[in-house]
Amino acid sequence: DPGTSSATGVNEKDVNLRVAAKVARLLEQRGIAVVMTRWKDEYPELEERAAVGNKRNAALFVSIHADSAPSSSAQGFTIYVAEGASTESYRAAHAINQAMEKTGQNNRGIREEDYRVLMQSKGPAVLIELGYLSNAQDAGRLSDDRFRDRLAQAIADGIQTYMK
């Protein structure tokens, strides 16, 4: 499942995996244990993803995505928590949101949405939309390795702040 794609052919799945893998490496370098739901081009079902975190009693479940919208003017990153999420989920969302602001992306804020991975995670959980592949400026940034590294750095910084 390639997810959404940009007009220039950038696939969401590729952006997500590259950013997530970089976040994992950065966190591991900082001594934070990481369990990935995928390291290669495969598609675990949403329920399987939450189950991985639940089985490991994850201190934080983080789902990384790129967004799309009918309007090409939608732009920026968004952090989601489940409706009625725990205080810990909100604390993690705020830490990641603060770090992501430093990337220069438009901040669409922290929002509530009942995405399956958030609803089925037993512990604190956030879903990060890195930007909109339907927006030319965001798509250009999300296809740039240096910018993806900045996003990964920000996410890792936010997670580390939350874990303290």
Side-chain angles (χ1 to χ4, degrees):
D1 179 9
T4 191
S5 58
S6 73
T8 58
V10 177
N11 288 324
E12 177 187 9
K13 70 175 184 166
D14 298 324
V15 171
N16 300 349
L17 185 57
R18 285 183 181 143
V19 172
K22 179 74 174 185
V23 170
R25 287 190 296 275
L26 290 168
L27 290 173
E28 288 171 342
Q29 289 169 3
R30 299 173 190 188
I32 298 172
V34 175
V35 175
M36 294 280 286
T37 58
R38 70 181 184 113
W39 278 104
K40 56 186 178 182
D41 190 8
E42 57 192 14
Y43 184 80
E45 292 298 325
L46 298 174
E47 292 79 6
E48 292 175 64
R49 296 173 196 200
V52 167
N54 292 339
K55 182 178 178 183
R56 298 292 190 104
N57 293 316
L60 178 62
F61 182 91
V62 179
S63 188
I64 297 174
H65 299 271
D67 217 337
S68 181
S71 170
S72 63
S73 65
Q75 182 178 23
F77 73 90
T78 313
I79 312 292
Y80 288 96
V81 297
E83 196 169 315
S86 69
T87 302
E88 288 302 301
S89 291
Y90 274 101
R91 199 167 71 74
H94 283 287
I96 295 167
N97 190 65
Q98 275 191 310
M100 292 280 291
E101 283 183 332
K102 297 173 185 170
T103 66
Q105 280 284 73
N106 181 43
N107 183 349
R108 296 177 60 88
I110 298 169
R111 300 179 182 195
E112 291 184 347
E113 190 67 49
D114 288 340
Y115 293 124
R116 279 187 282 173
V117 293
L118 297 177
M119 296 299 293
Q120 294 183 5
S121 293
K122 293 180 180 173
V126 298
L127 186 145
I128 304 165
E129 292 284 5
L130 301 170
Y132 284 82
L133 287 173
S134 53
N135 176 278
Q137 186 176 9
D138 276 6
R141 288 177 174 173
L142 292 174
S143 65
D144 178 81
D145 283 332
R146 287 185 311 253
F147 190 75
R148 286 192 299 246
D149 286 350
R150 283 175 53 199
L151 292 170
Q153 182 73 50
I155 294 168
D157 291 348
I159 291 170
Q160 183 175 20
T161 297
Y162 165 74
M163 299 297 282
K164 288 182 181 177

mmCIF file of all heavy atoms in Angstrom, residues 98-145:
data_model
loop_
_atom_site.group_PDB
_atom_site.id
_atom_site.type_symbol
_atom_site.label_atom_id
_atom_site.label_comp_id
_atom_site.label_asym_id
_atom_site.label_seq_id
_atom_site.Cartn_x
_atom_site.Cartn_y
_atom_site.Cartn_z
ATOM 1 N N GLN A 98 6.372 20.715 19.984
ATOM 2 C CA GLN A 98 7.347 21.798 20.224
ATOM 3 C C GLN A 98 8.609 21.587 19.399
ATOM 4 O O GLN A 98 9.140 22.534 18.822
ATOM 5 C CB GLN A 98 7.705 21.876 21.700
ATOM 6 C CG GLN A 98 6.740 22.701 22.508
ATOM 7 C CD GLN A 98 7.292 22.965 23.899
ATOM 8 O OE1 GLN A 98 7.727 22.044 24.580
ATOM 9 N NE2 GLN A 98 7.265 24.208 24.296
ATOM 10 N N ALA A 99 9.085 20.348 19.357
ATOM 11 C CA ALA A 99 10.301 20.069 18.599
ATOM 12 C C ALA A 99 10.059 20.227 17.092
ATOM 13 O O ALA A 99 10.908 20.749 16.373
ATOM 14 C CB ALA A 99 10.798 18.659 18.916
ATOM 15 N N MET A 100 8.903 19.795 16.623
ATOM 16 C CA MET A 100 8.574 19.893 15.192
ATOM 17 C C MET A 100 8.447 21.343 14.732
ATOM 18 O O MET A 100 8.721 21.642 13.569
ATOM 19 C CB MET A 100 7.278 19.143 14.893
ATOM 20 C CG MET A 100 7.366 17.631 15.031
ATOM 21 S SD MET A 100 8.103 16.822 13.628
ATOM 22 C CE MET A 100 6.852 17.078 12.377
ATOM 23 N N GLU A 101 8.043 22.229 15.613
ATOM 24 C CA GLU A 101 7.931 23.649 15.236
ATOM 25 C C GLU A 101 9.255 24.198 14.720
ATOM 26 O O GLU A 101 9.274 25.104 13.901
ATOM 27 C CB GLU A 101 7.465 24.478 16.437
ATOM 28 C CG GLU A 101 5.997 24.351 16.709
ATOM 29 C CD GLU A 101 5.535 25.234 17.863
ATOM 30 O OE1 GLU A 101 6.336 25.525 18.777
ATOM 31 O OE2 GLU A 101 4.359 25.623 17.836
ATOM 32 N N LYS A 102 10.360 23.644 15.183
ATOM 33 C CA LYS A 102 11.688 24.133 14.807
ATOM 34 C C LYS A 102 12.084 23.740 13.383
ATOM 35 O O LYS A 102 13.109 24.191 12.887
ATOM 36 C CB LYS A 102 12.722 23.626 15.802
ATOM 37 C CG LYS A 102 12.474 24.146 17.206
ATOM 38 C CD LYS A 102 13.397 23.519 18.215
ATOM 39 C CE LYS A 102 13.005 23.991 19.616
ATOM 40 N NZ LYS A 102 13.696 23.247 20.654
ATOM 41 N N THR A 103 11.274 22.913 12.708
ATOM 42 C CA THR A 103 11.608 22.489 11.344
ATOM 43 C C THR A 103 11.231 23.518 10.297
ATOM 44 O O THR A 103 11.646 23.410 9.145
ATOM 45 C CB THR A 103 10.890 21.164 10.992
ATOM 46 O OG1 THR A 103 9.478 21.395 10.952
ATOM 47 C CG2 THR A 103 11.245 20.049 11.960
ATOM 48 N N GLY A 104 10.410 24.490 10.672
ATOM 49 C CA GLY A 104 9.951 25.489 9.715
ATOM 50 C C GLY A 104 8.652 25.110 9.029
ATOM 51 O O GLY A 104 8.102 25.908 8.266
ATOM 52 N N GLN A 105 8.148 23.906 9.274
ATOM 53 C CA GLN A 105 6.854 23.503 8.725
ATOM 54 C C GLN A 105 5.745 24.280 9.423
ATOM 55 O O GLN A 105 5.855 24.615 10.603
ATOM 56 C CB GLN A 105 6.587 22.009 8.985
ATOM 57 C CG GLN A 105 7.254 21.039 8.054
ATOM 58 C CD GLN A 105 6.586 20.965 6.705
ATOM 59 O OE1 GLN A 105 6.700 21.890 5.905
ATOM 60 N NE2 GLN A 105 5.931 19.872 6.429
ATOM 61 N N ASN A 106 4.674 24.531 8.708
ATOM 62 C CA ASN A 106 3.478 25.117 9.292
ATOM 63 C C ASN A 106 2.939 24.148 10.350
ATOM 64 O O ASN A 106 2.842 22.959 10.108
ATOM 65 C CB ASN A 106 2.434 25.337 8.185
ATOM 66 C CG ASN A 106 1.166 25.954 8.694
ATOM 67 O OD1 ASN A 106 1.194 26.872 9.492
ATOM 68 N ND2 ASN A 106 0.046 25.434 8.224
ATOM 69 N N ASN A 107 2.609 24.666 11.525
ATOM 70 C CA ASN A 107 2.110 23.837 12.623
ATOM 71 C C ASN A 107 0.586 23.866 12.618
ATOM 72 O O ASN A 107 -0.025 24.884 12.898
ATOM 73 C CB ASN A 107 2.654 24.361 13.952
ATOM 74 C CG ASN A 107 2.239 23.525 15.134
ATOM 75 O OD1 ASN A 107 1.382 22.645 15.038
ATOM 76 N ND2 ASN A 107 2.845 23.797 16.272
ATOM 77 N N ARG A 108 -0.035 22.720 12.341
ATOM 78 C CA ARG A 108 -1.493 22.612 12.336
ATOM 79 C C ARG A 108 -2.027 22.196 13.708
ATOM 80 O O ARG A 108 -3.223 22.020 13.879
ATOM 81 C CB ARG A 108 -1.931 21.631 11.253
ATOM 82 C CG ARG A 108 -1.546 22.152 9.853
ATOM 83 C CD ARG A 108 -1.889 21.185 8.763
ATOM 84 N NE ARG A 108 -3.300 20.871 8.702
ATOM 85 C CZ ARG A 108 -4.213 21.551 8.010
ATOM 86 N NH1 ARG A 108 -3.848 22.630 7.330
ATOM 87 N NH2 ARG A 108 -5.465 21.168 7.984
ATOM 88 N N GLY A 109 -1.121 22.014 14.661
ATOM 89 C CA GLY A 109 -1.514 21.783 16.039
ATOM 90 C C GLY A 109 -1.711 20.321 16.406
ATOM 91 O O GLY A 109 -1.472 19.411 15.632
ATOM 92 N N ILE A 110 -2.172 20.159 17.636
ATOM 93 C CA ILE A 110 -2.482 18.847 18.183
ATOM 94 C C ILE A 110 -3.988 18.673 18.078
ATOM 95 O O ILE A 110 -4.745 19.530 18.518
ATOM 96 C CB ILE A 110 -2.012 18.738 19.647
ATOM 97 C CG1 ILE A 110 -0.488 18.911 19.715
ATOM 98 C CG2 ILE A 110 -2.462 17.409 20.261
ATOM 99 C CD1 ILE A 110 0.050 19.080 21.113
ATOM 100 N N ARG A 111 -4.389 17.574 17.499
ATOM 101 C CA ARG A 111 -5.811 17.327 17.264
ATOM 102 C C ARG A 111 -6.193 15.936 17.753
ATOM 103 O O ARG A 111 -5.338 15.062 17.865
ATOM 104 C CB ARG A 111 -6.136 17.445 15.776
ATOM 105 C CG ARG A 111 -5.824 18.828 15.229
ATOM 106 C CD ARG A 111 -6.131 18.919 13.770
ATOM 107 N NE ARG A 111 -5.767 20.242 13.274
ATOM 108 C CZ ARG A 111 -6.169 20.722 12.135
ATOM 109 N NH1 ARG A 111 -6.944 20.013 11.338
ATOM 110 N NH2 ARG A 111 -5.799 21.919 11.745
ATOM 111 N N GLU A 112 -7.467 15.771 17.989
ATOM 112 C CA GLU A 112 -7.986 14.464 18.378
ATOM 113 C C GLU A 112 -8.635 13.786 17.181
ATOM 114 O O GLU A 112 -9.364 14.430 16.422
ATOM 115 C CB GLU A 112 -9.035 14.607 19.483
ATOM 116 C CG GLU A 112 -8.472 15.052 20.804
ATOM 117 C CD GLU A 112 -9.523 15.102 21.896
ATOM 118 O OE1 GLU A 112 -10.739 15.020 21.599
ATOM 119 O OE2 GLU A 112 -9.124 15.213 23.066
ATOM 120 N N GLU A 113 -8.332 12.507 17.019
ATOM 121 C CA GLU A 113 -8.940 11.712 15.952
ATOM 122 C C GLU A 113 -8.876 10.257 16.382
ATOM 123 O O GLU A 113 -7.870 9.827 16.956
ATOM 124 C CB GLU A 113 -8.181 11.916 14.639
ATOM 125 C CG GLU A 113 -8.857 11.341 13.437
ATOM 126 C CD GLU A 113 -10.165 12.022 13.068
ATOM 127 O OE1 GLU A 113 -10.207 13.263 12.998
ATOM 128 O OE2 GLU A 113 -11.141 11.289 12.847
ATOM 129 N N ASP A 114 -9.910 9.531 16.115
ATOM 130 C CA ASP A 114 -9.966 8.138 16.550
ATOM 131 C C ASP A 114 -9.396 7.179 15.507
ATOM 132 O O ASP A 114 -10.066 6.269 15.033
ATOM 133 C CB ASP A 114 -11.406 7.757 16.934
ATOM 134 C CG ASP A 114 -11.813 8.398 18.241
ATOM 135 O OD1 ASP A 114 -10.922 8.796 19.023
ATOM 136 O OD2 ASP A 114 -13.023 8.506 18.500
ATOM 137 N N TYR A 115 -8.133 7.393 15.155
ATOM 138 C CA TYR A 115 -7.443 6.475 14.261
ATOM 139 C C TYR A 115 -7.257 5.141 14.980
ATOM 140 O O TYR A 115 -6.999 5.097 16.180
ATOM 141 C CB TYR A 115 -6.084 7.038 13.843
ATOM 142 C CG TYR A 115 -6.179 8.265 12.969
ATOM 143 C CD1 TYR A 115 -5.556 9.448 13.330
ATOM 144 C CD2 TYR A 115 -6.894 8.232 11.772
ATOM 145 C CE1 TYR A 115 -5.639 10.575 12.518
ATOM 146 C CE2 TYR A 115 -6.972 9.356 10.958
ATOM 147 C CZ TYR A 115 -6.349 10.522 11.343
ATOM 148 O OH TYR A 115 -6.431 11.626 10.548
ATOM 149 N N ARG A 116 -7.365 4.054 14.230
ATOM 150 C CA ARG A 116 -7.303 2.722 14.843
ATOM 151 C C ARG A 116 -6.039 2.491 15.647
ATOM 152 O O ARG A 116 -6.097 1.925 16.742
ATOM 153 C CB ARG A 116 -7.448 1.632 13.782
ATOM 154 C CG ARG A 116 -8.890 1.404 13.407
ATOM 155 C CD ARG A 116 -9.026 0.223 12.485
ATOM 156 N NE ARG A 116 -8.620 0.648 11.146
ATOM 157 C CZ ARG A 116 -8.487 -0.147 10.113
ATOM 158 N NH1 ARG A 116 -8.710 -1.426 10.224
ATOM 159 N NH2 ARG A 116 -8.139 0.325 8.938
ATOM 160 N N VAL A 117 -4.882 2.898 15.125
ATOM 161 C CA VAL A 117 -3.644 2.647 15.875
ATOM 162 C C VAL A 117 -3.626 3.392 17.198
ATOM 163 O O VAL A 117 -3.043 2.919 18.171
ATOM 164 C CB VAL A 117 -2.372 2.965 15.057
ATOM 165 C CG1 VAL A 117 -2.207 2.016 13.895
ATOM 166 C CG2 VAL A 117 -2.330 4.402 14.610
ATOM 167 N N LEU A 118 -4.268 4.535 17.245
ATOM 168 C CA LEU A 118 -4.341 5.292 18.495
ATOM 169 C C LEU A 118 -5.347 4.664 19.455
ATOM 170 O O LEU A 118 -5.088 4.545 20.651
ATOM 171 C CB LEU A 118 -4.716 6.753 18.217
ATOM 172 C CG LEU A 118 -3.732 7.560 17.380
ATOM 173 C CD1 LEU A 118 -4.275 8.963 17.116
ATOM 174 C CD2 LEU A 118 -2.356 7.623 18.045
ATOM 175 N N MET A 119 -6.479 4.267 18.920
ATOM 176 C CA MET A 119 -7.537 3.689 19.755
ATOM 177 C C MET A 119 -7.139 2.321 20.317
ATOM 178 O O MET A 119 -7.533 1.964 21.417
ATOM 179 C CB MET A 119 -8.834 3.558 18.954
ATOM 180 C CG MET A 119 -9.422 4.885 18.508
ATOM 181 S SD MET A 119 -9.843 5.956 19.895
ATOM 182 C CE MET A 119 -11.167 5.022 20.634
ATOM 183 N N GLN A 120 -6.374 1.567 19.563
ATOM 184 C CA GLN A 120 -6.033 0.212 19.988
ATOM 185 C C GLN A 120 -4.735 0.122 20.783
ATOM 186 O O GLN A 120 -4.410 -0.928 21.320
ATOM 187 C CB GLN A 120 -5.988 -0.713 18.779
ATOM 188 C CG GLN A 120 -7.371 -0.872 18.175
ATOM 189 C CD GLN A 120 -7.396 -1.827 17.013
ATOM 190 O OE1 GLN A 120 -6.419 -2.460 16.674
ATOM 191 N NE2 GLN A 120 -8.558 -1.932 16.389
ATOM 192 N N SER A 121 -4.012 1.234 20.874
ATOM 193 C CA SER A 121 -2.792 1.245 21.681
ATOM 194 C C SER A 121 -3.179 1.372 23.146
ATOM 195 O O SER A 121 -3.966 2.241 23.518
ATOM 196 C CB SER A 121 -1.883 2.404 21.273
ATOM 197 O OG SER A 121 -1.392 2.192 19.977
ATOM 198 N N LYS A 122 -2.622 0.487 23.965
ATOM 199 C CA LYS A 122 -2.961 0.487 25.395
ATOM 200 C C LYS A 122 -2.207 1.557 26.171
ATOM 201 O O LYS A 122 -2.656 1.997 27.209
ATOM 202 C CB LYS A 122 -2.701 -0.890 25.987
ATOM 203 C CG LYS A 122 -3.651 -1.933 25.432
ATOM 204 C CD LYS A 122 -3.395 -3.290 26.026
ATOM 205 C CE LYS A 122 -4.378 -4.293 25.430
ATOM 206 N NZ LYS A 122 -4.075 -5.661 25.837
ATOM 207 N N GLY A 123 -1.049 1.955 25.662
ATOM 208 C CA GLY A 123 -0.250 2.973 26.325
ATOM 209 C C GLY A 123 -0.355 4.300 25.605
ATOM 210 O O GLY A 123 -1.172 4.465 24.690
ATOM 211 N N PRO A 124 0.470 5.264 25.996
ATOM 212 C CA PRO A 124 0.489 6.562 25.328
ATOM 213 C C PRO A 124 0.768 6.392 23.833
ATOM 214 O O PRO A 124 1.615 5.575 23.448
ATOM 215 C CB PRO A 124 1.630 7.313 26.005
ATOM 216 C CG PRO A 124 1.845 6.605 27.301
ATOM 217 C CD PRO A 124 1.454 5.183 27.081
ATOM 218 N N ALA A 125 0.044 7.140 23.005
ATOM 219 C CA ALA A 125 0.183 6.986 21.556
ATOM 220 C C ALA A 125 -0.063 8.306 20.847
ATOM 221 O O ALA A 125 -0.958 9.064 21.229
ATOM 222 C CB ALA A 125 -0.803 5.927 21.046
ATOM 223 N N VAL A 126 0.747 8.557 19.817
ATOM 224 C CA VAL A 126 0.572 9.734 18.964
ATOM 225 C C VAL A 126 0.723 9.313 17.506
ATOM 226 O O VAL A 126 1.399 8.336 17.196
ATOM 227 C CB VAL A 126 1.587 10.860 19.283
ATOM 228 C CG1 VAL A 126 1.424 11.366 20.702
ATOM 229 C CG2 VAL A 126 3.012 10.400 19.050
ATOM 230 N N LEU A 127 0.082 10.053 16.637
ATOM 231 C CA LEU A 127 0.223 9.873 15.201
ATOM 232 C C LEU A 127 0.680 11.210 14.637
ATOM 233 O O LEU A 127 0.067 12.241 14.923
ATOM 234 C CB LEU A 127 -1.103 9.440 14.577
ATOM 235 C CG LEU A 127 -1.053 9.073 13.096
ATOM 236 C CD1 LEU A 127 -2.028 7.928 12.812
ATOM 237 C CD2 LEU A 127 -1.364 10.256 12.210
ATOM 238 N N ILE A 128 1.759 11.183 13.875
ATOM 239 C CA ILE A 128 2.343 12.400 13.310
ATOM 240 C C ILE A 128 2.114 12.417 11.807
ATOM 241 O O ILE A 128 2.498 11.484 11.112
ATOM 242 C CB ILE A 128 3.860 12.468 13.590
ATOM 243 C CG1 ILE A 128 4.136 12.379 15.092
ATOM 244 C CG2 ILE A 128 4.467 13.730 12.977
ATOM 245 C CD1 ILE A 128 5.589 12.081 15.425
ATOM 246 N N GLU A 129 1.483 13.465 11.324
ATOM 247 C CA GLU A 129 1.381 13.719 9.886
ATOM 248 C C GLU A 129 2.468 14.740 9.571
ATOM 249 O O GLU A 129 2.421 15.876 10.048
ATOM 250 C CB GLU A 129 -0.005 14.257 9.511
ATOM 251 C CG GLU A 129 -1.130 13.261 9.681
ATOM 252 C CD GLU A 129 -1.202 12.198 8.595
ATOM 253 O OE1 GLU A 129 -0.310 12.147 7.699
ATOM 254 O OE2 GLU A 129 -2.149 11.393 8.643
ATOM 255 N N LEU A 130 3.458 14.347 8.793
ATOM 256 C CA LEU A 130 4.646 15.172 8.537
ATOM 257 C C LEU A 130 4.378 16.381 7.666
ATOM 258 O O LEU A 130 5.120 17.360 7.713
ATOM 259 C CB LEU A 130 5.725 14.320 7.862
ATOM 260 C CG LEU A 130 6.205 13.100 8.645
ATOM 261 C CD1 LEU A 130 7.091 12.230 7.755
ATOM 262 C CD2 LEU A 130 6.946 13.536 9.902
ATOM 263 N N GLY A 131 3.365 16.314 6.847
ATOM 264 C CA GLY A 131 3.044 17.377 5.895
ATOM 265 C C GLY A 131 2.126 16.794 4.840
ATOM 266 O O GLY A 131 1.759 15.616 4.904
ATOM 267 N N TYR A 132 1.750 17.607 3.880
ATOM 268 C CA TYR A 132 0.778 17.209 2.859
ATOM 269 C C TYR A 132 1.459 16.955 1.522
ATOM 270 O O TYR A 132 2.019 17.877 0.926
ATOM 271 C CB TYR A 132 -0.283 18.295 2.694
ATOM 272 C CG TYR A 132 -1.284 18.307 3.806
ATOM 273 C CD1 TYR A 132 -1.012 18.935 5.009
ATOM 274 C CD2 TYR A 132 -2.506 17.654 3.665
ATOM 275 C CE1 TYR A 132 -1.933 18.929 6.045
ATOM 276 C CE2 TYR A 132 -3.431 17.631 4.695
ATOM 277 C CZ TYR A 132 -3.136 18.267 5.877
ATOM 278 O OH TYR A 132 -4.050 18.251 6.907
ATOM 279 N N LEU A 133 1.376 15.715 1.058
ATOM 280 C CA LEU A 133 1.908 15.411 -0.270
ATOM 281 C C LEU A 133 1.048 16.033 -1.358
ATOM 282 O O LEU A 133 1.493 16.162 -2.504
ATOM 283 C CB LEU A 133 2.040 13.899 -0.461
ATOM 284 C CG LEU A 133 3.189 13.266 0.335
ATOM 285 C CD1 LEU A 133 3.141 11.750 0.236
ATOM 286 C CD2 LEU A 133 4.540 13.798 -0.150
ATOM 287 N N SER A 134 -0.148 16.453 -1.023
ATOM 288 C CA SER A 134 -1.021 17.134 -1.983
ATOM 289 C C SER A 134 -0.676 18.620 -2.121
ATOM 290 O O SER A 134 -1.225 19.307 -2.973
ATOM 291 C CB SER A 134 -2.480 16.978 -1.550
ATOM 292 O OG SER A 134 -2.651 17.398 -0.210
ATOM 293 N N ASN A 135 0.248 19.109 -1.305
ATOM 294 C CA ASN A 135 0.713 20.492 -1.362
ATOM 295 C C ASN A 135 2.105 20.502 -1.986
ATOM 296 O O ASN A 135 2.997 19.796 -1.503
ATOM 297 C CB ASN A 135 0.735 21.093 0.049
ATOM 298 C CG ASN A 135 1.297 22.494 0.071
ATOM 299 O OD1 ASN A 135 2.511 22.667 0.078
ATOM 300 N ND2 ASN A 135 0.425 23.479 0.093
ATOM 301 N N ALA A 136 2.310 21.282 -3.026
ATOM 302 C CA ALA A 136 3.582 21.269 -3.759
ATOM 303 C C ALA A 136 4.771 21.607 -2.861
ATOM 304 O O ALA A 136 5.824 20.958 -2.945
ATOM 305 C CB ALA A 136 3.517 22.233 -4.941
ATOM 306 N N GLN A 137 4.634 22.597 -1.981
ATOM 307 C CA GLN A 137 5.749 22.989 -1.120
ATOM 308 C C GLN A 137 6.071 21.883 -0.115
ATOM 309 O O GLN A 137 7.238 21.507 0.048
ATOM 310 C CB GLN A 137 5.436 24.292 -0.392
ATOM 311 C CG GLN A 137 6.609 24.823 0.412
ATOM 312 C CD GLN A 137 6.313 26.161 1.049
ATOM 313 O OE1 GLN A 137 5.190 26.646 1.044
ATOM 314 N NE2 GLN A 137 7.339 26.781 1.614
ATOM 315 N N ASP A 138 5.056 21.339 0.547
ATOM 316 C CA ASP A 138 5.291 20.244 1.493
ATOM 317 C C ASP A 138 5.865 19.026 0.778
ATOM 318 O O ASP A 138 6.797 18.385 1.263
ATOM 319 C CB ASP A 138 3.999 19.833 2.200
ATOM 320 C CG ASP A 138 3.663 20.692 3.412
ATOM 321 O OD1 ASP A 138 4.370 21.690 3.666
ATOM 322 O OD2 ASP A 138 2.680 20.354 4.106
ATOM 323 N N ALA A 139 5.324 18.687 -0.391
ATOM 324 C CA ALA A 139 5.802 17.528 -1.140
ATOM 325 C C ALA A 139 7.276 17.691 -1.507
ATOM 326 O O ALA A 139 8.057 16.731 -1.419
ATOM 327 C CB ALA A 139 4.961 17.314 -2.391
ATOM 328 N N GLY A 140 7.658 18.900 -1.898
ATOM 329 C CA GLY A 140 9.061 19.162 -2.210
ATOM 330 C C GLY A 140 9.953 18.957 -1.002
ATOM 331 O O GLY A 140 11.021 18.345 -1.099
ATOM 332 N N ARG A 141 9.500 19.446 0.141
ATOM 333 C CA ARG A 141 10.275 19.261 1.374
ATOM 334 C C ARG A 141 10.361 17.782 1.754
ATOM 335 O O ARG A 141 11.419 17.302 2.145
ATOM 336 C CB ARG A 141 9.642 20.032 2.521
ATOM 337 C CG ARG A 141 9.792 21.522 2.426
ATOM 338 C CD ARG A 141 9.068 22.179 3.576
ATOM 339 N NE ARG A 141 9.304 23.602 3.596
ATOM 340 C CZ ARG A 141 8.693 24.434 4.418
ATOM 341 N NH1 ARG A 141 7.806 23.997 5.292
ATOM 342 N NH2 ARG A 141 8.956 25.723 4.385
ATOM 343 N N LEU A 142 9.226 17.085 1.667
ATOM 344 C CA LEU A 142 9.188 15.685 2.087
ATOM 345 C C LEU A 142 9.977 14.769 1.151
ATOM 346 O O LEU A 142 10.306 13.641 1.529
ATOM 347 C CB LEU A 142 7.737 15.201 2.197
ATOM 348 C CG LEU A 142 6.929 15.841 3.329
ATOM 349 C CD1 LEU A 142 5.471 15.414 3.259
ATOM 350 C CD2 LEU A 142 7.531 15.519 4.693
ATOM 351 N N SER A 143 10.307 15.252 -0.039
ATOM 352 C CA SER A 143 11.132 14.451 -0.952
ATOM 353 C C SER A 143 12.618 14.775 -0.803
ATOM 354 O O SER A 143 13.453 14.132 -1.432
ATOM 355 C CB SER A 143 10.685 14.661 -2.400
ATOM 356 O OG SER A 143 10.923 15.994 -2.797
ATOM 357 N N ASP A 144 12.948 15.738 0.036
ATOM 358 C CA ASP A 144 14.331 16.167 0.245
ATOM 359 C C ASP A 144 14.937 15.440 1.452
ATOM 360 O O ASP A 144 14.410 15.543 2.563
ATOM 361 C CB ASP A 144 14.359 17.686 0.462
ATOM 362 C CG ASP A 144 15.757 18.194 0.725
ATOM 363 O OD1 ASP A 144 16.513 18.375 -0.239
ATOM 364 O OD2 ASP A 144 16.083 18.410 1.912
ATOM 365 N N ASP A 145 16.041 14.722 1.235
ATOM 366 C CA ASP A 145 16.674 13.955 2.311
ATOM 367 C C ASP A 145 17.061 14.823 3.506
ATOM 368 O O ASP A 145 16.883 14.415 4.654
ATOM 369 C CB ASP A 145 17.921 13.222 1.803
ATOM 370 C CG ASP A 145 17.585 11.986 0.999
ATOM 371 O OD1 ASP A 145 16.511 11.386 1.237
ATOM 372 O OD2 ASP A 145 18.390 11.621 0.123
#
